[in-house]
Amino acid sequence: MMSINSDSMLDHAPSSPLRLRPQAALKIDKSERTRVAILNAALDFIWSRPFRDMTVRSLMTATGVGRSAFYQYFTDRHDLMQTMLRIVQKEIFEGVSPWLVGVGDPVVLLHQTLGGLVRICYERGPFIRAISDASRTDKRFEEDWRQFLEGFDEAGFARIEADQRQGLIPDFDARPVVFALNRLNAYTIIEAFGQHPRREPEPVWEALARIWVSTLYGAEWLGKESSSLIRK
Amino acid sequence: MMSINSDSMLDHAPSSPLRLRPQAALKIDKSERTRVAILNAALDFIWSRPFRDMTVRSLMTATGVGRSAFYQYFTDRHDLMQTMLRIVQKEIFEGVSPWLVGVGDPVVLLHQTLGGLVRICYERGPFIRAISDASRTDKRFEEDWRQFLEGFDEAGFARIEADQRQGLIPDFDARPVVFALNRLNAYTIIEAFGQHPRREPEPVWEALARIWVSTLYGAEWLGKESSSLIRK
DNA sequence: AGAGTTTATTGACATCATGTCACATCGTCA
DNA sequence: TGACGATGTGACATGATGTCAATAAACTCT
């Protein structure tokens, strides 16, 4: 009938490094378990295969539940990707906070922020790529992705303007520059880490740091704090 | 049965600013005319609607020829997009040549190159976006897009290394930096100009120029040659 | 534990896009 | 005119999507 444990399939599915445990430890009703199983199937799938190949059937086959049950939990593939976006978004926002909200030497904070971003996105690369790919094939989810990126635009803009008022950053029109720098980050990361084999994170981190620091604070700050490598 | 002129439909299709005339002026065999009609239908479609909505049916309806005739000319939608890529690629390569192959003050050339890039991509934005979107949904075309971007990586890398040998650009690992800067250009342009309403080209040009110049030659060159605005 | 209720799951269905194929039609040249 | 190659067409097979009424399973409460 169906496999004993509904979570791991016997065939070639490699499990992704990001898997969910059912929510409230004890109150595991069937519903929650199936929902998480689907999510994990998607995570596993996306870890090794492109979004375009992810059909509802492929997911539910891996789950061991009939295909139509999928629609009890998600309205469509993109709804599911929205959930994946929320998961990844939370991780990224945390890693990226230093420069955006922290106090101290801005160049040091910027290095830290970019280091955190690169580390997390290296670990989650294929998910991020899938999310970005999904945003191209669905009107609603495209909007979600746009808002995700705009979050960085707003935060970065605020930080740059603040530093401009302090004379730390030259007085240019910050909006288009931060827009461009954020696309730089997003798509450099997606292309570098979005599919196996991924590139090495260090050179990517150094390149991004060089570009951000040169543009905002000036190349004379480049040597500073080249130390804080991507830390565990 | 079918409309008198096979090229323009009566309904709401706005014609794109990029349309093809049949090839050899006189030797217009039916085949070439249909092929161009399909291509123009695609160009018109993409000018105002996203790639994800472009079905073979929608194209061939606009063409006035039966849907199955499409496959006489293209193997699928992505094959058609490959043709669109070649058209746009040619225009871009021309506009982008100064810094890559020219002689003279590199900062001036870089400004020129970015100006040309922004001008062309502003004019062709929706096409470029569609090409990029299409690369997410097809394995083969994804490879074409990758090679397209890698072309810029190679050329930019060569230029940077040359300038590094002359001491014009500091001595960093050029590969990852040029990779990042090219993604900066590609995706800033796609998001800024890829759908209506498009952003203004000038601020985008200024932002890209600021980032490239600061990163490569140093911010002290930024005032220089801020003149050469996007020219006809 | 067992009846009754709620919830989860299923299989069949309708729709839509794709790509293919045998056949029909057109037009050109002998 | 007639025959042949090049164009175009309609019908078909496939495979994905999302829905729904019917069924099975899970939960609740006494």
Side-chain angles (χ1 to χ4, degrees), chain A residues 84-178:
Chain A
M84 199 183 292
L85 170 57
R86 282 197 217 96
I87 296 170
V88 171
Q89 183 172 29
K90 187 156 170 267
E91 295 188 298
I92 294 179
F93 279 176
E94 281 163 13
V96 116
S97 55
W99 182 67
L100 290 174
V101 307
V103 281
D105 183 338
V107 176
V108 174
L109 292 174
L110 181 53
H111 264 100
Q112 249 184 274
T113 283
L114 292 172
L117 182 70
V118 165
R119 176 176 48 80
I120 293 166
C121 293
Y122 174 78
E123 286 168 7
R124 305 291 183 237
F127 303 138
I128 300 169
R129 191 211 165 97
I131 290 164
S132 166
D133 287 356
S135 77
R136 268 66 183 175
T137 57
D138 184 81
K139 194 170 161 50
R140 268 205 326 276
F141 191 57
E142 182 177 44
E143 175 64 14
D144 293 331
W145 171 254
R146 199 184 56 74
Q147 283 182 16
F148 170 63
L149 289 184
E150 273 185 3
F152 295 94
D153 293 342
E154 284 312 312
F157 177 66
R159 174 74 209 206
I160 289 180
E161 277 217 319
D163 284 357
Q164 282 179 324
R165 278 191 293 274
Q166 288 193 262
L168 295 169
I169 293 179
D171 208 25
F172 53 77
D173 182 2
R175 281 255 178 234
V177 171
V178 75

Side-chain angles (χ1 to χ4, degrees), chain A residues 28-38 72-73:
Chain A
I28 34 167
D29 54 350
K30 193 84 190 309
S31 172
E32 181 64 14
R33 256 196 301 144
T34 305
R35 186 189 161 80
V36 170
I38 296 173
Q72 207 84 39
Y73 300 94

Side-chain angles (χ1 to χ4, degrees), chain A residues 176-184 187, chain B residues 118 181-194 199 203-205 207-208 211:
Chain A
V177 171
V178 75
F179 178 89
L181 287 174
N182 280 333
R183 274 55 195 179
L184 163 80
Y187 293 99
Chain B
V118 166
L181 287 174
N182 281 332
R183 274 58 195 176
L184 164 79
N185 284 0
Y187 293 100
T188 296
I189 276 166
I190 286 171
E191 296 211 0
F193 306 140
R199 309 213 171 189
V204 172
W205 174 56
L208 294 181
I211 294 168

